[in-house]
Amino acid sequence: MTALLRYHSGLFLRSQRWLAPLLLYAALVAVGVRPGDPVLGSLGVAAAGLLPVAAWSARICLTQEAAAARAVTAAAGGRTRAHLAALLTGAGWPVLAGAVAVGAVTTTGDLAGTGGPAAPLAGLLATTACALTGAAVGALASRPFVTATGWSVAGLLLGSLLALVTTGSPAKHAVTALVAAEGAARPPWAPCAAAVLLAAVTAAVSCRVGARRE
């Protein structure tokens, strides 16, 4: 699995397709977060902005290989493991970007009354929840479920929007826990755990369907 993760990460970085989602995320954070703003609200904005970026990243990693190269990778490492490695790569890099954003926001934001170390912890949990929820959206809007580019992009946009506004979404609960917080930060453990479960179930279904269809 380590070799497959390195392979997909290498493809992702060398292709420079990561630039577009990264620049989108940087723009969202730059527009939505200002130095000196209350840190919890700013962390909520940074977490919410990561969801569509993670969905986009997951789709990139699932579709970046040509059909012939994908067949070779599947033959060498196993179809299920190769698909899972692509999903993990697509989810892992947004989590890293979210961690960097949390560091920047907590450094420049107003920490008054947030409980100190609880604020960055809450931000990390919220960004992780949003990244994993976004990766689940990206998995469902990509192969093997959706192969047409137009429908896939439409699915990414609609799925990301629904994941941010639908009651019961781990991402919505995580962002709301930060934006609506009054006083000390309360790390959103439950939404993060729910996002982990959602991502795991989605990955399992995606790998199983992919193994049957491709």
Side-chain angles (χ1 to χ4, degrees):
M1 181 60 75
T2 301
L4 288 171
L5 289 172
R6 289 178 179 174
Y7 168 70
H8 282 288
S9 294
L11 284 181
F12 184 60
L13 295 175
R14 287 196 302 270
S15 70
Q16 297 186 358
R17 294 181 180 180
W18 55 271
L19 278 173
L22 179 63
L23 291 175
L24 172 63
Y25 185 52
L28 290 172
V29 173
V31 170
V33 177
R34 292 180 299 178
D37 283 350
V39 72
L40 294 182
S42 297
L43 287 171
V45 172
L50 190 60
L51 194 150
V53 172
W56 191 355
S57 175
R59 184 186 181 279
I60 289 174
C61 290
L62 286 170
T63 60
Q64 63 184 346
E65 284 184 290
R70 191 161 61 245
V72 172
T73 305
R79 196 175 301 276
T80 299
R81 287 164 58 86
H83 192 85
L84 179 59
L87 276 174
L88 291 175
T89 302
W93 287 103
V95 170
L96 179 60
V100 173
V102 168
V105 169
T106 53
T107 300
T108 60
D110 182 8
L111 288 166
T114 60
L121 174 60
L124 288 172
L125 291 173
T127 53
T128 300
C130 288
L132 293 179
T133 303
V137 171
L140 294 174
S142 303
R143 67 172 191 89
F145 303 108
V146 183
T147 55
T149 301
W151 287 113
S152 180
V153 172
L156 286 181
L157 295 175
L158 180 60
S160 297
L161 176 61
L162 290 176
L164 286 172
V165 302
T166 302
T167 300
S169 166
K172 181 179 186 297
H173 281 286
V175 172
T176 301
L178 294 180
V179 175
E182 296 181 1
R186 295 181 179 179
W189 291 104
C192 188
V196 171
L197 178 61
L198 173 65
V201 171
T202 303
V205 174
S206 179
C207 289
R208 185 164 185 173
V209 174
R212 290 181 175 179
R213 292 186 181 179
E214 299 180 355

